Amino acid sequence: MHDFFNKKGWECEQFSDTDRLLNTIDNSIFDLFIIDVNLSGSNGIDLLKEVRKKNPQVPTIMISALTDIETVMDAYNEGCDEYLKKPFDLRELEVKVSKLTNENILELSESVKYDLSGRILLVNGEKIHLSQKESNLFHTFMTNINQPLTHEYLESVIWGAIEDNGHALRNLVLRMRKRVGKGIIDTVQGKGYIVRMNSAK
């Protein structure tokens, strides 16, 4: 990853020692962190907690061969912006890095915009207050543009467990649709929901 992004023109630093990383970020400015969940002698989730204390607004991508929902949920609950499961194509990682660092303001329609880094929804230029669950739901949509998300996945992200009937999720999606207007959050029949970047009118 270090060599790949260096060749792309990014200025990268690689750390195998968590203490050195934490000491370095006290005196340096980073645009993004990529943290492996499986670290030698330590745990990436614990490192994420410490990084978030020092840099709460800097985007963070967690990577791991672990695919169990508990690990994924722990990562999101501690503030990661993306979770990428190994093995993955480095070009997929590049897309996520570019989205988190360069496309901070996503324009969903003429009146609806979303600030990825600040997790702020703007409608007609005004900041819309979102509950914690609404914010988690919409941020999940915005970091998975053009990707259908199943009911089960969304429920696990929002509540940490799968609801029996999905009624709570449907109500949450309905509230968000009222906030952002029609044509932004689409239903994928029998599967879940999707936000298409160019679908809003």
Side-chain angles (χ1 to χ4, degrees), residues 18-19 21-22 25 35-54 60 62-63 66 70-71 73-80 83:
T18 58
D19 289 335
L21 167 62
L22 294 174
I25 62 179
I35 302 175
D36 199 316
V37 172
N38 303 303
L39 299 175
S40 177
S42 60
N43 181 285
I45 304 295
D46 292 336
L47 176 59
L48 174 62
K49 293 179 186 178
E50 296 303 315
V51 169
R52 273 285 168 258
K53 290 178 184 177
K54 296 173 180 287
T60 303
M62 300 298 292
I63 60 173
L66 298 175
E70 289 79 11
T71 300
M73 281 304 307
D74 284 346
Y76 278 111
N77 287 337
E78 295 301 334
C80 86
Y83 189 103

